[in-house]
């Protein structure tokens, strides 16, 4: 009976996770990284998009077409030559694409459905890990519930990217870490099967995302913390008659895991170093001149990422009143909840049954945070700029939350008290319900495009172009890598999608059909990717001049993220004098060419 109840609860969390991750899956516009996933997963290349000349919409979007002859070899070839990511997820996504055969209408949904499904699977996965690591079904259930409703987890699951697969592999690797810690406590060697499993999982993790190496480093820190605690007698030992923990067999098998993982990771080193696009694709996280803002930004960026593990109300709404109300509610929520969580965490550390698990995952999370800040302040590589990179320790945070929620659930009255102020008392079970309810409503915020909105918002730029330009349009940008191609693809994809919904009336109406055909003939922008070389940014400006001279007038020129100086007086192009609305991800200027 108890087992059936546990399975029913787990099914409930999994169902909630499914609904929150698959609802409105194709609502948000695609952004440049997702275009990379789609193009490479289809076995296509960005190099097929012509540069330095005007192209039409169908040519720009050609790499998003399913090619019957494309195979895994094409995925590997194009990805390793044009991107800086390892191939495992893209190979899996390729098989997923072949299975469902995406069309123009279903491409976004199919591309995002695989990460969403993997995100759903992470719920039962974190349950079994929590149950095993803490020897508690309640911890497993609380971790599963938190994973199901976490707005951060939903954000990652609704992107056509590899992070949810990375999360599953982090969970698998943490299972091996928990097993190793338990064996250390028992002063027994890690089983051979566990050594092999750990090595395979770690190698797969690195082959999904290079930043998985940060997970492994954080695990090493956590393992050292467990060994130190065990050595100093701060963790109970299950077998005090055995020799001390430094016995050869224990160390040898842990060393075998480290060496096997290192060998599997070093395979990718030549690939990573030989990729000429690697530095250009990651320049955005590298700090240049260290200004005051550069020194404090990592702290606030990290805090923003941690907050969204539990709560994210519509603070990105266009309505100021909604933003203010959301910020107030979130502030009150954390003022109330944080003291309860910290108190429960301390309780978990002092309770023999949960101490080992808390030390393992607490050390893991703190180790990962230490690595992130070390990269930011020592190496000048600010990983906190990309909230998605927190995937490397996100499951550890969920497990700690699961442990603390379990403590709160078993506490008759949870007290929220700051310093010596008057304590607010809340029944423990109600406090857990409140925390999970906040997570659920935050998840709805994310999948309704009111939270974790895309940095690139072509859906806001298209109406501006349509409203302002009544003549043919050329949209131009400078190009270094496939990132800029993805930026233009975002505009092209939204243009096509909005055009498809412009006419939804009775197609038997001859006048409407003619009007539709006329608008389609007119409403077809041209695009220009002007290659920008490091040694001569003026070359891109020359390409723009040449292209303009070949096109018929009148013409509206939209320079979008164009990173080269231009002088268009000779082309008789006058800049738009009106102030136009800002659009996230797209800096633009409009010229009317007569």
């Amino acid at each position: 009976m108890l087992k059936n109840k546990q399975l029913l609860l787990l099914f409930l969390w999994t169902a909630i996770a499914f609904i929150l991750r698959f609802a409105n899956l194709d609502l948000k516009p695609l952004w440049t990284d997702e275009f990379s996933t789609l193009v490479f997963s289809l076995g296509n290349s960005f190099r097929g998009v012509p540069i330095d000349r005007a192209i039409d919409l169908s040519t720009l979007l050609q790499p998003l077409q399913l090619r019957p002859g494309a195979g895994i070899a094409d995925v590997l070839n194009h990805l390793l030559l044009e991107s800086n990511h390892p191939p495992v997820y893209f190979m899996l996504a390729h098989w997923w694409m072949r299975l469902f055969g995406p069309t123009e209408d279903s491409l976004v949904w199919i591309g995002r459905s695989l990460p969403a499904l993997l995100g759903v699977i992470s719920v039962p996965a974190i349950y079994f890990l929590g149950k095993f690591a803490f020897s508690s079904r309640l911890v497993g259930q609380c971790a599963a519930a938190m994973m199901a409703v976490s707005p951060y987890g939903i954000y990652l699951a609704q992107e056509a990217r590899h992070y949810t697969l990375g999360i599953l592999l982090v969970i698998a690797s943490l299972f091996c870490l928990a097993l190793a810690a338990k064996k250390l406590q028992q002063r027994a060697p890690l089983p051979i099967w566990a050594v092999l499993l750990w090595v395979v999982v770690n190698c797969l993790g690195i082959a999904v995302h290079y930043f998985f190496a940060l997970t492994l480093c954080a695990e090493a820190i956590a393992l050292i913390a467990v060994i130190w605690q065990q050595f100093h007698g701060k963790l109970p030992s299950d077998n005090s008659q055995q020799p001390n923990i430094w016995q050869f067999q224990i160390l040898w098998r842990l060393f075998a895991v480290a060496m096997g993982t290192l060998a599997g990771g070093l395979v990718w080193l030549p690939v990573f170093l030989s990729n000429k696009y690697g530095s250009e694709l990651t320049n955005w996280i590298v700090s240049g001149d260290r200004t005051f803002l550069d020194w404090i930004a990592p702290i606030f960026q990290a805090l923003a990422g941690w907050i969204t593990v539990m709560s994210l109300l519509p603070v990105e709404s266009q309505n100021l009143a909604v933003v203010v109300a959301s910020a107030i509610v979130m502030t009150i929520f954390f003022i109330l909840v944080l003291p309860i969580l910290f108190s429960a965490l301390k309780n978990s550390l002092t309770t023999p049954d949960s101490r080992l698990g808390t030390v393992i995952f607490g050390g893991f999370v703190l180790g990962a945070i230490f690595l992130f800040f070390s990269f930011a302040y020592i190496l000048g590589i600010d990983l906190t700029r990309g909230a998605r990179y927190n995937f490397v320790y996100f499951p550890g945070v969920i497990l700690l939350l699961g442990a603390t929620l379990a403590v709160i659930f078993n506490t008759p009255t949870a007290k929220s008290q700051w310093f010596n102020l008057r304590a607010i008392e809340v029944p423990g079970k109600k406090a857990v319900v409140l925390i999970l309810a906040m997570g659920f409503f935050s998840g709805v915020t994310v999948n309704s495009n009111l939270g974790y909105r895309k940095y690139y918002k072509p859906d806001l730029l298209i109406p501006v172009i349509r409203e302002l330009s009544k003549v043919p349009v050329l949209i131009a940008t400078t190009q270094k890598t496939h990132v800029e191609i993805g930026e233009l693809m975002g505009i092209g994809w939204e243009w096509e999608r909005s055009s498809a919904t412009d006419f939804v009336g009775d197609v038997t109406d001859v006048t409407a059909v003619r009007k539709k055909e006329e608008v389609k003939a007119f409403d077809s922008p041209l695009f220009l990717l002007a290659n920008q070389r490091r040694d001569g940014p003026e070359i891109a400006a020359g390409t723009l001049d040449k292209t303009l001279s070949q096109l018929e007038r009148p013409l509206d020129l939209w320079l979008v993220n164009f990173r080269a100086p231009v002088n268009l007086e000779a082309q008789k192009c006058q800049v738009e004098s009106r102030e136009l609305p800002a659009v996230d991800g797209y800096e633009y200027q409009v010229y009317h060419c007569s």
Side-chain angles (χ1 to χ4, degrees):
M1 183 67 181
L2 178 62
K3 184 178 180 181
N4 290 339
K5 183 180 178 181
Q6 293 295 321
L7 289 176
L8 187 62
L9 266 177
L10 181 58
F11 177 79
L12 173 64
W13 309 136
T14 306
I16 290 173
F18 184 91
I19 293 169
L20 289 175
R21 283 156 178 77
F22 278 87
N24 299 324
L25 190 56
D26 55 357
L27 175 65
K28 298 182 182 181
L30 287 167
W31 72 295
T32 180
D33 280 18
E34 291 185 287
F35 280 112
S36 298
T37 301
L38 296 175
V39 170
F40 293 131
S41 298
L42 288 167
N44 295 333
S45 168
F46 283 97
R47 293 181 175 179
V49 179
I51 61 173
D52 293 339
R53 67 179 178 86
I55 57 176
D56 60 20
L57 184 58
S58 61
T59 303
L60 175 66
L61 301 180
Q62 184 62 38
L64 297 173
Q65 301 295 318
L66 178 67
R67 290 191 301 120
I72 289 295
D74 298 291
V75 175
L76 292 172
N77 181 49
H78 298 313
L79 177 71
L80 297 180
L81 286 177
E82 300 176 43
S83 184
N84 60 345
H85 287 297
V88 165
Y89 176 80
F90 297 88
M91 295 165 63
L92 181 63
H94 176 75
W95 290 322
W96 186 262
M97 294 285 191
R98 304 295 298 181
L99 177 64
F100 291 100
T103 62
E104 182 180 308
D105 294 332
S106 64
L107 178 63
V108 178
W109 196 92
I110 292 172
R112 288 175 174 169
S113 61
L114 176 58
L117 180 61
L118 295 173
V120 173
I121 295 172
S122 68
V123 172
I126 205 77
Y127 165 77
F128 288 111
L129 175 54
K131 177 186 172 185
F132 170 75
F134 290 88
S135 301
S136 167
R137 291 189 181 93
L138 180 58
V139 172
Q141 292 288 359
C142 290
M146 198 68 244
M147 179 67 87
V149 301
S150 171
Y152 176 78
I154 294 164
Y155 147 65
L156 290 184
Q158 289 202 312
E159 286 208 332
R161 298 295 285 158
H162 39 198
Y163 300 109
T164 49
L165 179 57
I167 285 172
L168 278 178
L169 291 169
V170 171
I171 292 172
S173 188
L174 288 178
F175 166 79
C176 297
L177 174 66
L179 179 61
K182 288 196 170 192
K183 290 299 180 182
L184 281 169
Q185 187 183 42
Q186 299 164 4
R187 297 188 176 182
L190 193 64
I192 293 295
W193 66 264
V195 171
L196 296 176
L197 175 64
W198 205 351
V199 170
V200 169
V201 168
N202 291 346
C203 292
L204 276 175
I206 295 171
V208 167
H209 201 296
Y210 293 133
F211 285 175
F212 192 89
L214 296 173
T215 296
L216 305 182
C217 293
E219 286 182 353
I221 293 171
L223 200 56
I224 291 170
V226 171
I227 293 173
W228 185 87
Q229 294 259 337
Q230 185 79 19
F231 182 75
H232 287 82
K234 296 187 177 183
L235 289 174
S237 175
D238 294 343
N239 191 351
S240 58
Q241 301 302 316
Q242 291 292 329
N244 65 56
I245 62 171
W246 305 107
Q247 59 181 300
F248 173 77
Q249 201 171 22
I250 293 177
L251 288 179
W252 182 86
R253 292 192 181 179
L254 291 176
F255 180 76
V257 172
M259 290 299 99
T261 300
L262 183 63
L266 288 177
V267 168
W268 299 104
L269 189 60
V271 177
F272 181 78
L273 294 177
S274 64
N275 192 301
K276 65 180 181 178
Y277 296 110
S279 60
E280 292 182 351
L281 292 170
T282 55
N283 274 341
W284 65 279
I285 59 173
V286 178
S287 300
D289 298 331
R290 293 296 187 92
T291 64
F292 175 73
L293 187 61
D294 290 325
W295 285 105
I296 65 170
I299 298 171
F300 291 99
Q301 289 162 177
L303 282 173
W306 300 338
I307 286 170
T308 61
V309 171
M310 295 177 61
S311 172
L312 181 61
L313 296 181
V315 290
E316 296 182 62
S317 171
Q318 302 297 315
N319 188 315
L320 181 59
V322 173
V323 172
V324 172
S326 300
I328 291 172
V329 171
M330 288 176 63
T331 301
I332 294 172
F333 170 77
F334 280 107
I335 289 174
L336 176 66
V337 164
L338 284 180
I340 297 175
L341 290 175
F342 284 131
S343 176
L345 186 61
K346 289 179 183 178
N347 190 304
S348 184
L349 271 171
T350 56
T351 304
D353 291 342
S354 60
R355 178 172 173 76
L356 179 62
T358 307
V359 169
I360 295 168
F361 300 117
F364 170 72
V365 171
L366 290 175
I369 292 171
F370 168 77
L371 291 171
F372 270 60
F373 282 112
S374 296
F375 269 74
Y377 289 112
I378 299 174
L379 302 178
I381 301 173
D382 187 3
L383 300 180
T384 64
R385 288 185 183 179
R388 56 192 181 275
Y389 298 143
N390 291 345
F391 86 93
V392 301
Y393 64 94
F394 171 61
V397 177
I398 292 295
L399 287 164
L400 287 177
L401 282 173
T404 55
L405 290 179
V407 171
I408 297 168
F409 189 85
N410 285 327
T411 303
T413 303
K415 293 183 179 181
S416 175
Q417 184 176 23
W418 290 90
F419 309 110
N420 294 321
L421 299 176
R422 182 179 177 181
I424 300 174
E425 295 185 353
V426 184
K429 291 181 175 61
K430 287 186 177 180
V432 172
V433 171
L434 171 66
I435 291 169
L436 294 179
M438 172 59 82
F440 178 82
F441 288 115
S442 299
V444 173
T445 295
V446 173
N447 68 32
S448 300
N449 200 22
L450 296 173
Y452 267 122
R453 302 185 71 185
K454 305 297 185 187
Y455 172 70
Y456 293 90
K457 297 176 182 174
D459 54 321
L460 300 183
L461 180 61
I462 299 306
V464 179
I465 298 177
R466 289 186 182 278
E467 178 67 26
L468 187 63
S469 293
K470 306 302 181 185
V471 296
V473 168
L474 172 67
I475 303 173
T477 190
T478 46
Q479 184 267 337
K480 289 183 178 179
T481 67
H482 65 261
V483 170
E484 292 78 24
I485 301 177
E487 291 172 358
L488 275 199
M489 279 183 167
I491 297 173
W493 187 267
E494 284 300 315
W495 192 293
E496 191 168 74
R497 190 168 75 164
S498 63
S499 297
T501 58
D502 278 345
F503 296 91
V504 291
D506 184 2
V507 294
T508 60
D509 187 335
V510 177
T511 305
V513 171
R514 284 180 180 174
K515 185 177 180 183
K516 182 176 180 179
E517 291 174 350
E518 289 171 3
V519 171
K520 275 193 170 181
F522 163 75
D523 196 13
S524 182
L526 296 176
F527 298 86
L528 171 66
L529 289 150
N531 187 252
Q532 186 177 28
R533 300 173 181 84
R534 290 182 180 179
D535 55 347
E538 69 281 352
I539 295 176
T543 300
L544 177 63
D545 277 338
K546 180 181 177 182
T547 304
L548 285 173
S549 66
Q550 297 170 346
L551 297 177
E552 296 182 0
R553 310 298 178 91
L555 176 76
D556 276 359
L557 170 65
W558 290 71
L559 297 182
V560 179
N561 296 343
F562 201 90
R563 311 300 185 193
V566 295
N567 185 348
L568 300 175
E569 290 183 5
Q571 293 291 341
K572 298 182 180 179
C573 297
Q574 301 297 320
V575 66
E576 172 63 45
S577 58
R578 285 174 289 178
E579 185 175 347
L580 300 174
V583 176
D584 288 349
Y586 294 101
E587 297 176 15
Y588 65 94
Q589 238 182 347
V590 188
Y591 290 85
H592 302 287
C593 304
S594 60

